[in-house]
Amino acid sequence: MRWPRQLMSLLFVLALLAGPPMVLLSLVGAPLQGWPTAAQAREWVQNPLTEQTLTAALTIAAWLVWLLLAYTVTVRVLTRLSATVSWLRRMPLPTPLQATAGGIAGAAVFGVSSHAIAAPSSPPTQPVAAGTLDEAGNLTPPDGDVLADAGISVAGGWLPRETAEQVSAAAALVWLRRRRSYRPRPPGPPSREDTDLAPLPPTVAAVQAVLADSTPPPTEPGAASAGSSLLDRPTVGGAFPRAGVGLTGLGAQDAARGLLVTSLLAGRHHPAVSVVVTRSVLAGLLGPTADTLGRRLPGLAVIDNLRQAAGFFSRDHPGRGLGARDQAQRDTHEGASPTGPTLIVDAASATDNADTLARLAIASAAVAVLGRWPAGQTWQVDPSGRTHHQDGSGSAGPRMCVLTQVTATDLLTVIAHPDPTPPQPGTSGPSRNPAPASRSPQWDATAQDHPVRSGNDKRRLHLCVLGELTLLLDGHPVEIRRTAALQVLVFLAAHPDGADTRQLTDAIWPGLPRRSLTGRLYTTLSDLRATIRSTAGVTLIEHTDDRYRLDPTGVTVDLWRFHQAVRDATTAVATDATAWKAVIDAYPADLAARRNWPWLDPIREATRRHVIDAHAALASASPDAREALAWLQAGIRIDPYNADLHTRAVTALITLGDHDAADHLRKGYTRRLAAAGILPNDTDLTTATLEDRPAIPTR
């Protein structure tokens, strides 16, 4: 126990402080009994080494040593007291509402009978991107709330919750567009190298992970975040002065990037220009990627001076400076956005064109000037995004979204137009030098080492990851308490060749420092191993050379059997439809259905594409037109967003003479994509791509 040792230490210190003075006073007396006389001084000079002078010197030395000890102890005590007082000042006290709730809860606890039935433990929650592990092994933030100040913190910035939700929605839309544009090809090896299967940037994954299972916090009256919503002028007017605001301080550049990102995200559903920025400011905000990324961002207008900006704010010429396509889109959606674009300029442009800027501010959603602005308010922004008015009052302003250059670039990639340089997916064979992030698991090597066994397999554990996640022991589900443990199982099932510590931590806890996650991973794996060992008596996960993998001799996995079917279809005779049907039969549902872990998207889409390839191959090889249509319709049920399957189905219906059904399918597909957020001009079905495909036979 610690208190006996602490008591002994205290007694020892007191003995050191009180013992020497008591001994000296009892043996020698008081240290100062008066100043020496002139006669005593002359005697000491003539004969300094006498018994009396030596005793006095030793006494003085003993008192000096004791004074040094007393000084040291006093300084340590004062330091401890100062630290304790500082901690007490920082200690959060409960609010009246929390104190009342705590009192009610305490009364309820003491009022419960001792024979009450214990409530079952709550189900595991999704991990978040900040905090520590709770008792159930789930990741929780240190302050007990996923979101702070109605927003989230990521590596390199802070985002309002609404902006984070827009980022997550835009990321989901990226994968819907990839699903729509994929063109089925003949079934190939399980290891796909499609260039459009590359995962999204790490910052986007971190935002998705935070929002995976969080609930929106209650909005306090009067709380507002600058840049959280730029579609409603009253909301923006409450945060930004109508005449604009200057941004200074260490966080000014980061706040300008946050305003740029939030404005583009909020205006991504409206084809009109949502942000107008000078070229010099954009180069300072985005760095070397400013020119290339700026051309790909919808809703961004780059100007050289404020005179060019007038066309984007004028009611008579709302589309000046836009291309023909953007002008047509704006005419179609005229009046969709009640506010003008956001304007971001530097201090020099604002000072030289103060009158022009004042006129533009009337029709704008927000005006931000990088630097002190004498004609309007100036806010000092700290690196966390908190603002303070520089009008002499020093009052606090709204918290702004702040992003570093790398973080802002990551977030802008989810709304940028695709780079036209990479080849379209499915139009040619696999890339010779694919990006490492887009490579699928090494199924071929794993299958050769551990082939999937037949149906009379004697292994007792079976892991189902296609559809609902379930670990079965002799047909009965095994409870996995930690959500992180479920992710480990699915990740290792999708990577049968194994994964190291870095790969697991980066996937399960994106955006967190890796050095703080090793212990969490070890805790998760230890709990999972203990659960399996106590339930089934086997070791499910192997650990060799810092690589973890599922033991193929102790567990069967439905995903492995699916890829074995894909491998069989690849090596089968081209006219053998049985192998393609086996691929479809081995796919009951999407990989980890109803789970929204960010790392799942590339693997889930690669798995789905194998099934789509099988449906398209069966439709092309079918000698009967109605049977081919049935396979296409079954493929559409697997992926209702794929444009190629819909185009083939529409063509098949027209070939069969059912024009009403073809028109109904076309309109339903257009409505589905429009509901998902894809603009109508991107949903037109065309038969122009059918000329290189086998014709669907008729009777």
Side-chain angles (χ1 to χ4, degrees):
M1 299 178 66
R2 296 180 58 186
W3 69 267
R5 292 195 300 269
Q6 293 177 349
L7 180 60
M8 292 300 296
S9 300
L10 178 61
L11 293 177
F12 180 73
V13 172
L14 292 177
L16 285 178
L17 292 177
M22 294 176 61
V23 173
L24 291 173
L25 289 174
S26 61
L27 296 179
V28 182
L32 295 177
Q33 299 178 355
W35 294 100
T37 63
Q40 291 175 340
R42 286 194 299 270
E43 182 181 357
W44 177 78
V45 171
Q46 295 174 359
N47 190 12
L49 298 178
T50 63
E51 181 179 356
Q52 184 179 2
T53 57
L54 290 176
T55 302
L58 292 175
T59 302
I60 294 173
W63 279 108
L64 290 177
V65 172
W66 178 83
L67 287 175
L68 179 61
L69 176 64
Y71 171 79
T72 304
V73 172
T74 303
V75 171
R76 293 293 300 272
V77 170
L78 292 177
T79 303
R80 289 287 185 90
L81 289 177
S82 177
T84 303
V85 171
S86 301
W87 176 79
L88 290 175
R89 289 177 178 176
R90 295 193 304 268
M91 183 177 65
L93 297 177
T95 63
L97 180 60
Q98 292 173 335
T100 303
I104 296 174
V109 169
F110 285 108
V112 175
S113 171
S114 60
H115 299 286
I117 300 176
S121 60
S122 58
T125 57
Q126 298 281 357
V128 299
T132 57
L133 288 176
D134 58 14
E135 295 180 356
N138 300 309
L139 189 60
T140 56
D143 57 356
D145 191 1
V146 175
L147 307 178
D149 294 345
I152 65 170
S153 297
V154 295
W158 179 87
L159 296 85
R161 180 185 176 88
E162 184 176 356
T163 302
E165 291 175 344
Q166 291 170 346
V167 170
S168 182
L173 200 60
V174 169
W175 285 106
L176 284 183
R177 288 197 175 100
R178 293 179 178 182
R179 292 171 61 178
R180 177 201 61 181
S181 60
Y182 174 69
R183 292 178 57 186
R185 62 191 186 192
S191 56
R192 307 189 70 104
E193 296 178 352
D194 299 351
T195 56
D196 64 335
L197 289 180
L200 298 180
T203 305
V204 180
V207 172
Q208 290 178 297
V210 172
L211 297 178
D213 196 39
S214 63
T215 56
T219 303
E220 298 180 2
S225 296
S228 61
S229 177
L230 295 174
L231 295 180
D232 300 323
R233 180 58 191 251
T235 302
V236 177
F240 283 88
R242 293 191 63 87
V245 64
L247 302 177
T248 61
L250 297 177
Q253 290 279 341
D254 293 346
R257 294 188 192 94
L259 184 60
L260 173 69
V261 172
T262 53
S263 301
L264 291 175
L265 284 169
R268 63 189 177 90
H269 294 299
H270 304 284
V273 171
S274 54
V275 177
V276 178
V277 61
T278 57
R279 194 175 306 277
S280 59
V281 169
L282 186 65
L285 296 180
L286 300 184
T289 62
D291 291 337
T292 56
L293 184 59
R295 288 192 294 266
R296 295 169 50 203
L297 289 173
L300 177 65
V302 183
I303 59 175
D304 294 320
N305 51 66
L306 283 182
R307 291 189 299 273
Q308 297 178 356
F312 299 102
F313 294 86
S314 174
R315 294 182 179 180
D316 297 332
H317 304 282
R320 183 181 300 171
L322 298 176
R325 180 186 178 194
D326 292 335
Q327 178 64 57
Q329 291 177 347
R330 179 157 190 164
D331 295 340
T332 304
H333 294 268
E334 185 68 33
S337 177
T339 63
T342 297
L343 178 62
I344 307 176
V345 296
D346 54 9
S349 300
T351 304
D352 298 339
N353 302 272
D355 295 337
T356 303
L357 191 60
R359 292 193 301 269
L360 297 179
I362 299 176
S364 66
V367 175
V369 178
L370 286 177
R372 185 178 294 275
W373 189 18
Q377 295 188 24
T378 299
W379 293 350
Q380 184 176 7
V381 189
D382 62 17
S384 65
R386 292 181 173 85
T387 60
H388 298 276
H389 296 277
Q390 289 189 330
D391 53 1
S393 63
S395 58
R399 188 174 186 181
M400 299 187 65
C401 174
V402 285
L403 302 170
T404 63
Q405 190 175 103
V406 175
T407 304
T409 304
D410 284 352
L411 297 181
L412 289 175
T413 55
V414 299
I415 60 174
H417 291 307
D419 192 349
T421 53
Q424 294 296 327
T427 56
S428 62
S431 173
R432 293 184 179 180
N433 297 305
S438 65
R439 281 194 62 90
S440 298
Q442 298 178 3
W443 295 100
D444 297 333
T446 303
Q448 295 173 3
D449 297 337
H450 304 283
V452 179
R453 301 184 183 181
S454 59
N456 58 354
D457 201 315
K458 301 300 182 182
R459 285 171 286 187
R460 302 172 60 196
L461 285 175
H462 179 65
L463 178 60
C464 301
V465 297
L466 295 175
E468 187 65 26
L469 299 181
T470 310
L471 179 62
L472 299 176
L473 174 62
D474 296 333
H476 301 285
V478 177
E479 181 182 2
I480 305 298
R481 193 165 61 99
R482 299 172 182 264
T483 303
L486 286 176
Q487 294 199 59
V488 168
L489 287 177
V490 180
F491 193 89
L492 295 181
H495 298 79
D497 57 321
D500 56 23
T501 301
R502 180 189 60 81
Q503 292 171 321
L504 287 172
T505 54
D506 288 350
I508 300 175
W509 298 288
L512 285 178
R514 193 175 300 150
R515 61 180 180 276
S516 64
L517 300 176
T518 305
R520 296 173 184 172
L521 179 62
Y522 290 162
T523 302
T524 300
L525 291 172
S526 177
D527 181 81
L528 178 60
R529 286 171 166 174
T531 300
I532 302 303
R533 191 180 301 110
S534 62
T535 304
V538 298
T539 301
L540 179 62
I541 299 178
E542 298 177 341
H543 185 206
T544 305
D545 297 332
D546 195 33
R547 292 191 67 83
Y548 299 91
R549 58 179 296 181
L550 294 178
D551 182 8
T553 63
V555 63
T556 58
V557 183
D558 57 353
L559 183 62
W560 296 356
R561 292 188 174 181
F562 169 79
H563 280 277
Q564 180 64 47
V566 173
R567 194 177 299 105
D568 294 340
T570 304
T571 58
V573 182
T575 58
D576 186 7
T578 304
W580 298 338
K581 293 179 182 178
V583 173
I584 298 174
D585 294 339
Y587 186 84
D590 288 342
L591 176 65
R594 298 189 298 175
R595 303 284 178 167
N596 49 1
W597 303 321
W599 60 267
L600 266 177
D601 290 324
I603 306 174
R604 179 184 287 160
E605 177 60 16
T607 307
R608 185 189 293 114
R609 288 183 178 183
H610 288 303
V611 187
I612 295 176
D613 292 343
H615 282 88
L618 287 171
S620 299
S622 177
D624 181 74
R626 295 193 178 277
E627 181 182 0
L629 177 62
W631 285 118
L632 292 174
Q633 292 172 334
I636 290 175
R637 286 191 291 271
I638 297 295
D639 190 354
Y641 294 96
N642 186 265
D644 190 271
L645 292 179
H646 281 81
T647 300
R648 296 189 185 203
V650 167
T651 304
L653 288 170
I654 294 176
T655 303
L656 293 172
D658 197 344
H659 295 274
D660 292 338
D663 187 62
H664 178 75
L665 178 61
R666 183 187 296 109
K667 291 181 178 179
Y669 178 64
T670 302
R671 287 193 300 268
R672 182 180 299 111
L673 291 186
I678 300 178
L679 296 179
N681 67 297
D682 294 333
T683 64
D684 298 333
L685 294 181
T686 175
T687 58
T689 59
L690 292 176
E691 53 190 31
D692 60 339
R693 304 188 187 120
I696 297 179
T698 59
R699 290 187 178 182

